[in-house]
Amino acid sequence: MRQAKIERKTNETDISVSVVIDGSGRADISTGIGFYDHMLEQLARHSLMDITVKAKGDLHIDAHHTVEDVGITLGLALKQALGERRGIVRYGHALIPMDETLSRVALDISGRPFLVWRVEFTQDRLGTMDTELFEEFARAFAFGAGITLHVENLYGKNNHHKIESCFKALARALKQAMAIDPRAADTIPSTKGTIGG
């Protein structure tokens, strides 16, 4: 089974993350940041990964360290769970509407981390979470997991809809890319014969 558990402790955060790629979409998320929890639950539900996140951070300062470090740890857990990536489709994309909003995610489980982020907000916070931290999560996650990640909100007005459609698109793109290709289940999807190693 493709699964992993990672624990990461610093002077700023204490985080435990477990991931089961071939799960059923169960989420057990506790970061102390309600809106962030909600988005990570969307990631689990729509990717069909089982995700557990337990995080304690220096929220008395702000949410930055917690958001970023959860992104790093979740990415590392996903990377470990994928192993040598034998048989995966590797590429994934999704176009997700949410009411008036449309967002697109394309990704490559390449071993070459990169982020393109084209999402703009018209308010500084959603719940208690600074909207600028969503990009920090995406970067930390992409670099932890070793994926090339492009996230784009094509249009929309409601900021909640914008970011939720991005997380759902990320989930669906990951689900597609992590799936095992039955025609190539025994091969690594790269002419190099390795990904990220």
Side-chain angles (χ1 to χ4, degrees):
M1 182 175 277
R2 298 184 296 171
Q3 60 186 350
K5 182 175 182 179
I6 298 285
E7 295 181 354
R8 186 176 190 271
K9 188 170 185 175
T10 71
N11 290 334
E12 298 166 341
T13 59
D14 186 354
I15 296 167
S16 175
V17 170
S18 66
V19 170
V20 179
I21 292 175
D22 305 301
S24 60
R26 290 192 309 271
D28 183 6
I29 313 292
S30 178
T31 67
I33 309 162
F35 195 87
Y36 193 32
D37 291 357
H38 180 49
M39 292 302 101
L40 294 174
E41 288 164 0
Q42 299 299 326
L43 184 63
R45 174 66 57 88
H46 295 282
S47 67
L48 294 181
M49 284 191 288
D50 294 339
I51 299 175
T52 300
V53 176
K54 300 299 178 188
K56 293 180 181 178
D58 53 2
L59 297 179
H60 62 284
I61 297 174
D62 68 9
H64 189 284
H65 297 142
T66 302
V67 169
E68 183 176 38
D69 288 1
V70 166
I72 291 168
T73 311
L74 181 59
L76 290 171
L78 185 64
K79 182 177 183 178
Q80 183 174 312
L82 284 166
E84 63 179 354
R85 296 143 179 100
R86 187 173 298 276
I88 64 168
V89 173
R90 179 175 162 175
Y91 300 97
H93 61 90
L95 193 62
I96 297 294
M98 188 169 182
D99 296 349
E100 86 297 345
T101 297
L102 187 66
S103 296
R104 174 171 57 202
V105 167
L107 60 86
D108 175 10
I109 302 175
S110 60
R112 296 188 308 277
F114 199 87
L115 175 68
V116 174
W117 180 264
R118 293 183 178 167
V119 184
E120 294 183 4
F121 299 102
T122 58
Q123 64 191 75
D124 294 332
R125 285 190 164 201
L126 287 166
T128 61
M129 186 167 171
D130 296 333
T131 49
E132 69 180 9
L133 294 181
F134 292 112
E135 182 175 0
E136 297 304 318
F137 163 77
R139 181 176 294 105
F141 175 72
F143 277 71
I147 64 176
T148 300
L149 176 60
H150 292 240
V151 182
E152 185 175 17
N153 172 241
L154 301 177
Y155 50 81
K157 292 181 179 178
N158 183 288
N159 291 279
H160 187 136
H161 295 167
K162 286 180 182 180
I163 196 59
E164 186 162 338
S165 61
C166 288
F167 267 81
K168 288 176 176 176
L170 173 59
R172 296 295 291 189
L174 280 170
K175 180 175 180 271
Q176 184 181 78
M178 297 184 304
I180 300 299
D181 185 340
R183 295 174 60 197
D186 233 6
T187 63
I188 294 173
S190 171
T191 54
K192 297 176 183 177
T194 183
I195 294 177

